[in-house]
């Protein structure tokens, strides 16, 4: 998965700070999890969102897949300044897989 990012989200997701405050998109960067670039497998389309999903004060990564709309949670086991993502878990709500609309 490659992200075109601005501002703080770019710093969080890539672990790098960007010098430009021009409002322009920076070059895409791969987001790594468990030592490999995140790959959503189906069609290469994803809907990423950054938020603290487990209440530990560290921003995690939620990725909605285009295929079937299932949601992956990559918990940040690093810090906000130096994020590190491991393997994902599927997002569940009420015992069912949480999904985003597809199509």
């Amino acid at each position: 998965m490659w992200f075109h990012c601005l501002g703080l989200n770019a710093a969080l997701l890539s672990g790098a700070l960007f010098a430009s405050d021009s409002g322009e998109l920076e070059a895409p960067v791969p987001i790594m999890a468990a030592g490999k670039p995140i790959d959503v497998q189906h069609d290469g389309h994803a809907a990423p969102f950054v938020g603290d999903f487990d209440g530990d004060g560290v921003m995690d990564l939620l990725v909605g897949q285009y295929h079937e709309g299932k949601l992956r949670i990559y918990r940040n086991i690093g810090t906000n300044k130096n994020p590190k993502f491991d393997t994902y878990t599927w997002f569940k709500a009420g015992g069912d897989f949480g999904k985003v609309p597809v199509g």
Side-chain angles (χ1 to χ4, degrees):
M1 173 186 313
W2 292 76
F3 287 96
H4 288 278
C5 300
L6 291 173
L8 294 177
N9 283 344
L12 168 68
L13 291 174
S14 70
L17 296 175
F18 297 106
S20 173
D21 285 330
S22 67
E24 296 294 319
L25 292 174
E26 298 288 340
V29 294
I31 305 303
M32 308 296 281
K36 299 177 185 176
I38 292 175
D39 181 4
V40 293
Q41 301 168 348
H42 298 282
D43 300 325
H45 300 288
F49 180 80
V50 177
D52 180 9
F53 297 105
D54 52 12
D56 64 358
V58 181
M59 301 298 269
D60 305 302
L61 179 63
L62 178 84
V63 180
Q65 294 185 164
Y66 180 75
H67 178 74
E68 297 179 357
K70 289 168 57 174
L71 302 164
R72 295 179 179 190
I73 296 176
Y74 292 87
R75 287 192 168 73
N76 183 356
I77 57 175
T79 65
N80 285 334
K81 187 172 182 177
N82 294 303
K84 182 178 178 186
F85 301 104
D86 204 1
T87 58
Y88 66 88
T89 57
W90 292 109
F91 175 82
K92 290 190 175 183
D96 295 325
F97 289 111
K99 294 185 178 185
V100 294
V102 296

